[in-house]
């Protein structure tokens, strides 16, 4: 990216992360914590491999991403401490962009793990005195676990050895509405959401939705 050439912190930051796809690469590494090139490519549909390679090299050069080749098979990428400091920036973009999500094109790409970031800020444990529960959104290939207990929630990549109390799947627009409280769980099936296992475990996490909260 060509520098803005300005003695300004905003411009200097955009010199590093202002290119198209760059912050989405950061998003993937915030969610996945570490990822191989192929995993990043899978989580960034429509990006050309050579463009992803170039963006990763730029992020390495600026000390945002570390490429660990000791693991073999092309190595893994992870954020440096400076890279992880971008979480607040991504979080603010998430909040700013949330109202526009319902108006995304009908053919917009959707992957379940993308929901893990809003889920971390919207889902809460409403039954702190009950035993801990794990709710899985999606599956081991593309998903995340939400663990609720003692009044806290922990959103993390799916744990292979963990058997969840409930599994939630469905179309992107419906799931966004569910975790935002725009659609009540009782109406979720009408929107294509499927809950396998304990519905009460899922309800425990969701924002309070009015009886009229449903997708139209």
């Amino acid at each position: 990216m060509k520098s803005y050439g300005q003695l300004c912190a905003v411009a200097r930051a955009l010199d590093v992360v202002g290119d198209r796809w760059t912050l989405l690469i950061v998003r993937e590494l915030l969610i996945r914590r570490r990822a191989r090139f192929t995993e990043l490519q899978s989580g960034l549909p429509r990006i050309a491999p050579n463009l992803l390679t170039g963006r990763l090299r730029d992020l390495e050069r600026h000390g945002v991403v570390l490429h660990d080749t000791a693991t073999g098979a092309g190595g893994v990428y992870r954020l440096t401490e400076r890279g992880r400091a971008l979480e607040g920036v991504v979080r603010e973009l998430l909040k700013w962009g949330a109202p526009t999500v319902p108006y995304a094109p009908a053919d917009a790409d959707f992957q379940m793990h993308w929901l893990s970031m809003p889920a971390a800020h919207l889902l809460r444990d409403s039954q702190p005195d009950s035993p801990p529960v794990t709710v899985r959104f999606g599956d081991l290939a593309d998903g995340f676990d939400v663990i609720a207990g003692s009044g806290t929630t922990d959103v993390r990549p799916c744990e292979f050895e963990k058997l969840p109390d409930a599994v939630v799947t469905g179309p992107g627009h419906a799931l966004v509405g569910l975790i935002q409280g725009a659609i009540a769980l009782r109406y979720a099936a009408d929107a294509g959401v499927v809950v396998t296992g304990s519905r009460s475990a899922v309800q425990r996490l969701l924002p309070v939705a009015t009886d009229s909260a449903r997708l139209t």
Side-chain angles (χ1 to χ4, degrees), residues 46 104-110 173:
R46 309 190 193 202
D107 62 347
D109 295 316
F110 170 73
H173 281 84

Side-chain angles (χ1 to χ4, degrees), residues 4-120:
Y4 287 105
Q6 297 181 9
L7 188 62
C8 164
V10 174
R12 292 293 296 151
L14 291 175
D15 283 348
V16 177
V17 298
D19 270 333
R20 189 166 184 254
W21 294 106
T22 298
L23 280 177
L24 293 184
I25 294 171
V26 173
R27 176 202 67 190
E28 287 298 301
L29 291 173
L30 285 169
I31 292 172
R32 298 175 184 268
R33 304 180 184 180
R34 57 179 58 222
R36 297 192 180 278
F37 184 90
T38 52
E39 292 172 325
L40 289 172
Q41 192 175 16
S42 175
L44 297 165
R46 309 190 193 202
I47 192 172
N50 62 328
L51 182 57
L52 176 56
T53 298
R55 294 290 186 267
L56 286 168
R57 285 176 178 166
D58 288 342
L59 288 170
E60 284 185 76
R61 182 166 55 87
H62 288 290
V64 177
V65 166
L66 178 67
H67 185 199
D68 181 4
T69 58
T71 59
V76 296
Y77 294 89
R78 61 178 175 83
L79 295 171
T80 63
E81 182 177 354
R82 182 161 174 76
R84 290 192 299 274
L86 285 166
E87 183 174 7
V89 175
V90 175
R91 182 169 62 247
E92 291 303 314
L93 284 172
L94 185 156
K95 290 162 58 179
W96 189 84
T100 72
V101 172
Y103 308 103
D107 62 347
D109 295 316
F110 170 73
Q111 293 189 15
M112 186 69 78
H113 72 280
W114 295 342
L115 274 182
S116 65
M117 296 192 79

Side-chain angles (χ1 to χ4, degrees), residues 32 39 42 111-113 136 138-144 158 160:
R32 298 175 184 268
E39 292 172 325
S42 175
Q111 293 189 15
M112 186 69 78
H113 72 280
R136 177 164 296 161
D139 54 32
L140 293 173
D142 178 32
F144 58 97
C158 293
F160 283 79

